[in-house]
Amino acid sequence: MYDNPISPPDISVKIIVFIGEVDEEFVRRKMTKLNQEFPKQIESKMLEVISVPTDYYPENWADSLHLQFGDPLERTKWRSKQNLDQVFLMMYIYNLNPKYYLMLEDDVIAKQGYADHIMKFAAENESKDWFYLSFCVLGAIGKLFRARNLPSYASFIHTFWNRKPLDWLQMDYVSSQVCSYDEPHQNCVKLLQKHLIAYRPSQFQHQGKVSSLDGKKQLLYDKSFGGRPK
């Protein structure tokens, strides 16, 4: 992210690195490494590193999860934890009073001038009632949200955190607001597309091939970004 200009000079950008672990020694090591790699950004408060309280996650995951869609316990835990992580992160960011929140992952690369493209596209769509602007086709990567919508969205995720993956909940959240219960499926899809607006070419590419879920390989990549990840 720092290999490209962070933003035009008249735009303030803050990067929040979220460490979703409760192992205090692990968190300390990660924070020390980030401090060593990005001392200027941390000192200037452009980069901030946060982690969850040690009692944030369920003490007994097995009793807290709903096994469905054919997913075993470990996969259900993995995707449910992602939901809890996003709830914590979104509400932390909301309290920083930004205008927008851009959701990313730690293993992505960005196009040159990505912030310029994002802010121009947001300005062009300012009058529209969008839920997010998408700058990557993969999952929840590169999704820009209006900060004012974060409390409602975070509350929705928290309600269903142990039921569905995050990208599915994104669709459910929007459809619950724009689709009638008896809406034909194709009509609902068209309504959703008006609130989930895509920018092309994509501004972010997923790089990592090793998932945080043991045994899972992440081989998907965004073709509109240009070129396969290394």
Side-chain angles (χ1 to χ4, degrees), residues 13 19 28 31 34-35 52 56 105 125 127 137 139 144 154 160 180 192 219:
V13 173
I19 303 176
R28 274 195 294 269
M31 286 188 168
L34 288 166
N35 268 289
V52 295
Y56 181 66
E105 293 184 3
N125 289 277
S127 63
V137 302
L144 186 78
F160 301 102
S180 170
L192 285 172
L219 301 177

Side-chain angles (χ1 to χ4, degrees), residues 11-30:
I11 298 173
S12 175
V13 173
K14 189 180 187 74
I15 295 178
I16 306 297
V17 175
F18 173 78
I19 303 176
E21 297 291 341
V22 294
D23 182 331
E24 294 181 359
E25 181 56 34
F26 176 88
V27 173
R28 274 195 294 269
R29 289 199 306 271
K30 289 294 183 182

